Every structure is written in structure tokens, then in C-alpha cells.
Amino acid sequence: MNGIILIIDDEKKISSLLSRIIELEGFKTLQAATGKEGLKLLKNNDVSIVISDVKLPDVNGVAMVKDIKLLKPYVEVINLTAYGTISDGVLAIKNGAFDYLVKGDDNDKIIPLLYKAIDKANLQQRVSELSQKIAGKHHFNTIIGQSKKLNEAIDLAKRVSQTDTTVLLLGETGTGKEVFAQSIHYESPRTAKPFVALNCSGFSPDLLESELFGYKAGAFTGANKDKKGLLEEANGGTLFLDEIGEMNLDLQAKLLRVLENQSFIKVGDTHTQQVNVRILAATNKDLKADAESGKFRSDLYYRLSVFTIMLPPLRERRADIPLLAKYYLNEFAIKSNRLQLHLDDKILEIFEKYQWRGNIRELKNVMERLVILSDGEELNLSALPPEFFEFAPLQNNFNLQQVEKQHIQKVLLHTKGNKTETSRLLGIGLTTLYRKIEEYGIMEL
């Protein structure tokens, strides 16, 4: 079955003939003689395409396109008419119709057109389902933790999510600022529009300006055609500016203009463009102190900090550590097809004493390493990075150097001797890794 086609036409002979032709292609058809009857069938059935006459007893088929799209946005509409006019055709497309055909010209065109409309409807449905799936991962109820400080931050974020207020998220690296920004967006009235994230520390000042505002062809060497900036990409939705404290003062002035009147000028252009964008920003810096010292524009700081949310570091929400550790254990166990893995209580005891300077991101990385390096069904204490052992319970015959050697050997084995990847997983520099390999006499693969 290719899909359900709804035919709305008060001429029974035409409707029946069209139905038979379409059903020969493997589609199921429904028929209605009026707009009201057609909308009722549309509401109660999983229709992919509507083929509607323009002149119906109770409504104009061109005008009805809006009602169809309002009821089911991803259904495509083909208008048929005995007397086609250019103005009607233009209005049909403007209202959202897929195409507009004159009866008599439709015999050879309707089936190929139907398949094109079905392809578009199916694609839009898949995009919609994917968007809903993505949005489902970014709601406040998916944020892991039950500590008082975390719940206070979530309550504030929930309140501000329903507004268009600019929000400044403060917190150490790895505390989940982007997760909060996504949750604010996907629980806001802008949820169906884009969420666009930009890390301000990842670009030089010139490149950052081009990424943010876009540019006109010829603005600089290599600018061969116009480019949309992320402000345009986020139009109607939310732009998240991470590490906002790294933005230079000149660019800050241009961002301030966006916040004040929702307008900007592309690089190399002279015309002002309007956008409708909500700005969320984040930093691990003391932005207020930077504003007071002149390192950050004070006027921009006060515009960004209309509503400020402080995200607690992991060491201030230690009750959440076991929940997060088990969540990431489950995630990496599924990826590695080792569903029997479980956490040793001694590891959790170490985790609750550790300072977690990298916060949730560091915990996630540690859990990935443990899953990779542990044998059997239980995560091995010896697979922890060396810096954790000062918090480990004392054990007989415990040799820190031997544990570190075994740890490096296992990671090298896992990466098939790739030292760059090994140093990343171990969280040490490449030079340090080479020194350790030589110091411990580790055989290279």
C-alpha cells in the first residue's frame, strides 16, 4: 500500500474515474463530495495526499488548502479545476498547495505528480518525526539528578522557557549549559523552529563575525557567493552562544544591536536585515567581573543577564553522581553490547570523594574508559585513571605504578597502538604518553 489519497469532488463520475486510475497504482482512495465531508475524512484517516476540485458546493478548494494544512501540515494538496486562472493557481501555491492542474490536462500528469507529492509528504513526515525525537531528548525531565541545587536551576529555567527573555547560563566547564539551553528552547513556544548553537571560542574574530552574521559575495577573498549567517539560520528560533566571554569587543557591539532591535548587517553589505531570534548565552567566566574591568562590554552584559541561571558543579551535587554514573554505564554498555556490566560500590565511593573539575563531561569520559578497559561483568577499580587512586581504599599489595602501566597497555591495545587516541582517552598529553611508554618499558603494537 503506497498511501491513502483523498479525492474531494462533487462530480461523481470524475471522482470515481480518478479513484480507479489511482488505485491501479496501489494506492487506497477515499471520496468526498463536499469540503466539510472531506475535512472530516482527513481528520479521521491517515491521508497522504488530497486531490480537491476548486469549485465545491460549500467551499472554494483553493481557500480550503489553508484548512487542510492547518489540520495536517504534512499532507500535500493538488487542486483540480475545469477553468484554470493564473490568479487561482498563484493563490493555491501560496496557500500551500503542491500543484494546480486544469481538468483535461491532468490525465498524463496526475500519476507522476502524485508520486512526487507522496515523496515530499513522506520526507516531511520523517523530518517531523526526527525533529520530535530530537526534541524529546531535550526536555527538563530528561536532565539527570535530584539534588536541591540542580532542581532550583531547573525550576528557574522552566519559568523563563515560556518567555522570549534573554538568558545567561553560568557554570564551570562540563556542568551542562548547552543541555539547559536546548531544554529551554524545546519547552518554549519556539520549539518547532531551529535551535542553533555557536561556540564563540572556536573561531578567530573575523571568522566568528562571518559565522554569526553571514557575508555578501565579494566581501573578502574567497567569498564567491552570499552566505547565510547563524542568525538567519536561527530565525524564528533560538541562537545559543556558548563561551560568550571569548567574543571580542567589536563583535560584542554588533551583537548588542541584535539584542536591542533584532537587526544586523552582513559582512560586506550595507543593508540592514531583520530577524526574530531568541538569544541564550553561556560562559564559565566571571562575566560581571570582566564587565567591571572593561574586558567585556558592560551594556552587553546587562542585556545578556536579564535572567541568569547558575548551574552547580558536580562536587556540589554529589548525590547525583551515582545516578549519572549508572546512566553513562548503561549508555556505553549498550554501545559495546555488554549489557551485564555493573558498577563496583568501591568505584562509587571514589567518585563521591573526587573533585570532578571537568564535571559531568569528565564523569562521562571516565565511564567510557571504564567500560573499554574492564574485563568481565564488573567495572575494574584498576581501570580508573591514576588521579583517582588517592581516593581509593587501601588494599594489600596495591602498586600504583603497576596499575598505571596496565591501564596504559589496555588503552593502547584498545586503540590498536594509536597514540593520539590513547592520549585522548587517558586524558594526558602525547609527550607524557611517550615518556610513560619508555619509563614502563611498554611494548608497542
Side-chain angles (χ1 to χ4, degrees), residues 12-62:
K12 186 64 179 174
K13 288 183 179 180
I14 292 177
S15 183
S16 297
L17 177 61
L18 193 55
S19 177
R20 286 199 299 273
I21 292 170
I22 291 171
E23 286 181 352
L24 286 173
E25 295 292 322
F27 296 98
K28 178 183 176 181
T29 63
L30 300 171
Q31 297 179 47
T34 66
K36 184 178 179 181
E37 185 186 345
L39 290 174
K40 186 176 180 180
L41 285 171
L42 177 65
K43 186 177 181 181
N44 297 325
N45 293 274
D46 189 17
V47 173
S48 299
I49 308 294
V50 174
I51 300 175
S52 172
D53 190 16
V54 170
K55 277 199 166 187
L56 294 169
D58 58 340
V59 68
N60 181 287
V62 171

Side-chain angles (χ1 to χ4, degrees), residues 165-179:
T165 302
T166 303
V167 180
L168 180 61
L169 297 161
L170 300 176
E172 295 177 9
T173 297
T175 48
K177 296 185 286 294
E178 184 164 355
V179 171

Side-chain angles (χ1 to χ4, degrees), residues 27 162 178 190 196 232 254 257 343 349 354-355 367 370 378 414 422-423:
F27 296 98
Q162 298 306 309
E178 184 164 355
R190 295 175 179 263
V196 178
E232 283 182 271
K254 295 179 180 179
R257 178 178 182 174
L343 268 172
E349 184 182 335
Y354 186 67
Q355 290 303 298
M367 291 308 301
L370 283 172
E378 195 168 274
H414 173 74
T422 298
S423 65

Side-chain angles (χ1 to χ4, degrees), residues 48-186:
S48 299
I49 308 294
V50 174
I51 300 175
S52 172
D53 190 16
V54 170
K55 277 199 166 187
L56 294 169
D58 58 340
V59 68
N60 181 287
V62 171
M64 190 173 65
V65 174
K66 282 187 175 181
D67 298 323
I68 293 169
K69 287 291 187 178
L70 192 62
L71 189 62
K72 293 196 174 176
Y74 305 115
V75 168
E76 293 301 328
V77 185
I78 299 171
N79 277 137
L80 293 180
T81 180
Y83 308 100
T85 66
I86 293 174
S87 59
D88 262 2
V90 170
L91 183 58
I93 302 302
K94 187 177 179 181
N95 286 351
F98 183 77
D99 212 333
Y100 176 90
L101 291 180
V102 177
K103 291 179 181 178
D105 294 340
D106 62 318
N107 295 337
D108 297 328
K109 294 179 180 178
I110 191 67
I111 296 304
L113 190 62
L114 199 57
Y115 278 109
K116 287 180 182 178
I118 279 283
D119 286 343
K120 184 181 177 186
N122 289 342
L123 177 60
Q124 289 190 122
Q125 187 63 36
R126 287 197 295 272
V127 169
S128 173
E129 288 169 359
L130 180 60
S131 296
Q132 288 173 11
K133 188 176 179 181
I134 292 170
K137 293 180 179 179
H138 301 301
H139 286 279
F140 292 114
N141 59 9
T142 64
I143 296 175
I144 301 164
Q146 301 170 348
S147 62
K148 183 181 177 182
K149 286 190 175 183
L150 179 67
N151 283 331
E152 286 173 352
I154 290 173
D155 287 343
L156 285 172
K158 281 182 178 178
R159 291 190 182 205
V160 79
S161 66
Q162 298 306 309
T163 72
D164 272 341
T165 302
T166 303
V167 180
L168 180 61
L169 297 161
L170 300 176
E172 295 177 9
T173 297
T175 48
K177 296 185 286 294
E178 184 164 355
V179 171
F180 264 75
Q182 289 170 329
S183 297
I184 289 170
H185 169 76
Y186 286 111

